[in-house]
């Protein structure tokens, strides 16, 4: 407990409140203590004391819609102590879904084989499916051990009630999220055999994929399509699995078949754009996907295709390494910005982002910094001499995009200010300004022709020079760039950087020996 002074404080206050008969106060402190050490025997002993003294201890831990996880877990433990563990388990699973890395379920009553005989398999399947949705796929690594007791409950329940297809499938989904691929395949196979169905084949396909058995995964997903040819989400799964086998053209055929039925079906749209980008590397596919995401904020579930496609690419997911080697450049305002402005800039100045629209959104907080201060910060020693050269300059320019956002782009001050920063040689400031322009083109389709023309002109100026590659990387991230400029930029990026010549000095040293 020494590692958690708040825990010790809550337990001391809970014990004192119990001694005084202040049960509400004791309950609040016990609920506060549980998230720090949910398996600590002392907490459970105090919960037992509380249950003895209260007419209905459950009322001390009300389950309103916004109840904190500690209160929900306390309610679950009291239900289990009252002989109703089957009612307590869904509450404990809800707490685990909120904070998966906390060991909420590492208590004896959860792993008791008797619970498997008491709990309804259908109810447990629903609990496990909600837990799977909450923890993500895969679950965080830190959650693998804390969530494993729920697999034990599934095992005990199957042993008590026999082969239950829905429970085995849900258990397989949880096992897969926890890195238990072999167990996931075993349970999904048994579930699909017990009661053949579309959902059973989907669970089996996912389990095979997690185990690296891609051909078998594809076969299972094809069977799922036969059960329900109108479920377009399975088409997306089949396409993704074919792509894993290197059969990308066949995968795209599946997405086209689905898009013919529903051109706006989110899972298929995301998969199709990702696969098209994989084929030719044209950023237009990612821009189209970003447009779709912006126009469809209520997709059926969270997708990560855009993040994954941008990951590791210069400017699409972060500043390139070479930017830090460029000269620092100068802002267009010679003034002293406030300490608050500097602090706000440095607070957001990361070297990475998920994709350009995410960078635009992250810079929104800089609307509180005046444009002249953002420009002045470009020459501030804390920016030009930063440990991560280039990062702060990028975010200062991105911040300019959020000022005067109601102005039409072509006549806007934000465009004018960024264009002024493009004057001169290629340096960190001109690169940052170019990236800000490109980022705006990602989020505003009406600005794309203008930005594409500006970037093409800047690349033409730099082409053939020592810093052509630096501008070429930006050009490849630009929406609606003309084909010839894109091809030239791609060629410039493919040319390996020439290392600094060191041979002559070495030769001179050798000759002097």
């Amino acid at each position: 407990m020494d590692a958690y002074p708040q825990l010790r404080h809550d337990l001391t206050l809970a014990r004192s409140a119990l001694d005084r008969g202040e049960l509400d106060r004791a309950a609040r402190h016990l609920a506060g203590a549980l998230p720090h050490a949910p398996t600590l025997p002392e907490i459970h002993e105090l919960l037992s004391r509380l249950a003895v003294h209260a007419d209905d201890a459950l009322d001390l831990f009300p389950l309103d819609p916004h109840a904190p996880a500690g209160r929900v877990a306390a309610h679950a433990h009291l239900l289990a102590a009252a002989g109703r563990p089957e009612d307590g388990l869904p509450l404990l699973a809800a707490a685990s879904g909120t904070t998966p890395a906390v060991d909420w379920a590492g208590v004896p009553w959860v792993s008791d084989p008797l619970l498997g005989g008491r709990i309804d398999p259908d109810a447990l399947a629903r609990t496990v499916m909600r837990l799977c949705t909450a923890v993500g796929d895969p679950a965080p690594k830190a959650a693998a051990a804390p969530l494993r007791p729920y697999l034990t409950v599934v095992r005990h329940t199957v042993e008590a009630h026999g082969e239950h297809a829905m429970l085995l499938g849900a258990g397989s989904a949880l096992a897969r999220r926890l890195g238990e691929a072999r167990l996931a395949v075993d349970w999904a196979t048994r579930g699909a055999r017990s009661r053949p169905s579309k959902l059973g084949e989907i669970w089996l396909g996912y389990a095979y994929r997690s185990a690296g058995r891609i051909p078998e995964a594809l076969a299972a997903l094809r069977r799922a399509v036969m059960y329900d040819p109108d479920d377009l989400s399975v088409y997306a799964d089949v396409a993704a699995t074919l792509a894993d086998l290197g059969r990308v053209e066949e995968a795209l055929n599946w997405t086209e078949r689905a898009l013919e039925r529903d051109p706006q079906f989110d899972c298929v749209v995301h998969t199709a754009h990702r696969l098209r980008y994989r084929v030719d590397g044209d950023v237009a596919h990612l821009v189209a996907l970003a447009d779709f995401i912006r126009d469809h904020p209520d997709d059926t579930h969270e997708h990560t295709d855009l993040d994954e496609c941008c990951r590791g690419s210069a400017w699409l997911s972060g500043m390139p390494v070479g930017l830090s080697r460029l000269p620092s450049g100068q802002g267009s305002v010679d003034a002293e910005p406030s300490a608050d402005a500097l602090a706000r800039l440095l607070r957001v100045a990361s070297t990475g982002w998920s994709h350009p629209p995410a960078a635009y959104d992250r810079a929104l907080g800089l609307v509180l910094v005046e444009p002249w201060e953002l420009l002045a910060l470009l020459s501030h020693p804390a920016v030009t001499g930063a440990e991560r050269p280039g990062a702060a300059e990028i975010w200062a320019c991105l911040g300019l995009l959020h000022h005067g956002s109601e102005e039409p782009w072509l006549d806007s001050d934000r465009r004018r200010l960024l264009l002024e920063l493009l004057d001169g040689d290629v340096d960190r400031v001109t690169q940052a300004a170019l990236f800000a322009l490109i980022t705006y083109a990602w989020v505003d389709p009406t600005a794309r022709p203008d930005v594409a023309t500006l970037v093409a002109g800047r690349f033409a100026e730099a082409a053939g020079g020592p810093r052509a590659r630096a501008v070429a990387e930006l050009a490849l991230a630009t929406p609606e760039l003309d084909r010839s400029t894109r091809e030239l930029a791609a060629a410039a990026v493919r040319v390996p950087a020439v290392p600094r010549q060191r041979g002559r000095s070495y030769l001179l040293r050798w000759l002097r020996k």
Side-chain angles (χ1 to χ4, degrees):
M1 284 200 306
D2 291 340
Y4 300 105
Q6 183 61 46
L7 169 62
R8 183 163 48 199
H9 179 69
D10 279 326
L11 289 179
T12 299
L13 294 178
R15 192 178 296 105
S16 298
L18 269 173
D19 292 340
R20 296 192 302 271
E22 298 174 356
L23 303 187
D24 283 334
R25 185 182 296 274
R28 285 198 301 272
H29 288 296
L30 287 175
L34 267 169
H36 298 293
T39 63
L40 187 69
E42 188 174 351
I43 296 177
H44 294 273
E45 290 169 6
L46 290 172
L47 278 172
S48 299
R49 281 185 57 191
L50 184 65
V52 169
H53 287 87
D55 293 332
D56 191 347
L58 292 174
D59 291 342
L60 298 172
F61 301 95
L63 298 178
D64 57 74
H66 302 290
R71 189 196 304 168
V72 173
H75 198 109
H77 291 309
L78 289 174
L79 284 171
R84 298 164 54 192
E86 67 278 10
D87 295 329
L89 188 72
L91 298 177
L92 210 60
S96 292
T98 302
T99 49
V102 176
D103 191 16
W104 296 107
V107 290
W109 67 265
V110 172
S111 299
D112 188 341
L114 294 178
L115 175 59
R118 298 180 59 107
I119 199 164
D120 176 61
D122 287 318
L124 179 58
R126 290 191 294 271
T127 295
V128 173
M129 285 189 282
R130 285 194 294 269
L131 181 61
C132 287
T133 300
V135 303
D137 187 7
K141 290 183 179 180
L147 295 177
R148 196 159 282 115
Y150 296 105
L151 298 180
T152 301
V153 179
V154 173
R155 184 178 290 107
H156 289 157
T157 305
V158 170
E159 290 173 355
H161 294 275
E163 303 285 270
H164 188 282
M166 188 67 69
L167 179 56
L168 285 166
S172 171
L174 181 59
R176 176 168 54 82
R177 282 165 168 77
L178 303 185
E180 299 281 354
R182 183 177 298 179
L183 179 60
V185 170
D186 176 45
W187 279 353
T189 301
R190 290 164 60 183
R193 184 172 58 237
S194 172
R195 186 178 179 182
S197 67
K198 177 188 75 172
L199 188 55
E201 295 293 354
I202 291 173
W203 273 325
L204 182 58
Y206 287 173
Y208 277 138
R209 284 189 66 174
S210 69
R213 297 164 64 173
I214 306 302
E216 291 155 289
L218 179 61
L221 293 171
R222 285 180 181 274
R223 292 193 296 270
V225 172
M226 294 175 64
Y227 277 106
D228 185 2
D230 294 325
D231 187 347
L232 301 186
S233 63
V234 187
Y235 286 62
D237 290 330
V238 171
T241 306
L242 284 166
D244 288 344
L245 289 170
R247 295 156 61 178
V248 180
E249 291 299 329
E250 190 176 349
L252 283 169
N253 288 337
W254 275 84
T255 64
E256 293 303 322
R257 287 170 55 188
L259 291 173
E260 287 174 2
R261 292 170 174 250
D262 184 356
Q264 303 299 313
F265 193 83
D266 59 325
C267 293
V268 178
V269 172
H270 281 256
T271 301
H273 284 307
R274 174 168 55 83
L275 294 179
R276 291 167 187 159
Y277 179 71
R278 177 172 168 178
V279 169
D280 60 20
D282 191 339
V283 76
H285 304 306
L286 303 188
V287 174
L289 179 52
D291 289 346
F292 182 85
I293 294 170
R294 183 187 61 250
D295 296 338
H296 298 79
D298 300 322
D299 282 353
T300 56
H301 61 273
E302 183 180 358
H303 296 275
T304 60
D305 300 83
L306 183 57
D307 302 39
E308 292 171 4
C309 289
C310 290
R311 188 174 300 145
S313 298
W315 294 111
L316 295 182
S317 66
M319 56 178 264
V321 175
L323 183 63
S324 63
R325 294 193 290 267
L326 292 177
S328 60
Q330 293 292 319
S332 57
V333 171
D334 184 14
E336 183 64 30
S338 66
D340 179 68
L342 177 60
R344 288 182 183 276
L345 176 62
L346 296 181
R347 198 153 48 234
V348 301
S350 65
T351 58
W353 43 86
S354 300
H355 42 73
Y360 177 83
D361 291 341
R362 180 175 170 83
L364 178 60
L366 294 174
V367 73
L368 300 174
V369 181
E370 291 294 330
W372 72 265
E373 288 194 289
L374 290 171
L375 294 170
L377 283 165
L378 294 171
S379 303
H380 194 282
V383 170
T384 59
E387 293 183 5
R388 298 172 298 178
E393 290 97 325
I394 288 171
W395 292 98
C397 291
L398 289 172
L400 291 172
L401 295 174
H402 293 283
H403 289 274
S405 56
E406 73 286 351
E407 299 172 348
W409 170 248
L410 289 177
D411 299 320
S412 66
D413 283 339
R414 59 193 188 282
R415 177 182 183 272
R416 176 181 58 79
L417 293 174
L418 289 169
L419 290 183
E420 290 175 359
L421 295 175
L422 294 183
D423 290 339
D425 294 332
V426 176
D427 54 37
R428 297 204 300 262
V429 170
T430 60
Q431 294 292 83
L434 268 178
F435 178 64
L437 291 166
I438 292 165
T439 297
Y440 192 74
W442 273 71
V443 301
D444 183 357
T446 65
R448 288 172 188 169
D450 173 60
V451 172
T453 300
L454 292 170
V455 173
R458 188 62 175 173
F459 177 69
E461 294 173 3
R467 290 171 183 157
R469 181 189 177 98
V471 183
E473 290 176 331
L474 279 162
L476 292 177
T478 305
E480 297 187 5
L481 192 70
D482 66 274
R483 181 175 178 179
S484 60
T485 301
R486 184 171 300 282
E487 290 176 350
L488 289 171
V493 168
R494 285 195 297 269
V495 175
V498 179
R500 182 178 298 175
Q501 296 295 320
R502 299 182 182 275
R504 184 179 177 187
S505 60
Y506 174 82
L507 178 62
L508 288 174
R509 288 196 302 272
W510 181 80
L511 289 173
R512 290 171 183 150
K513 289 184 179 179

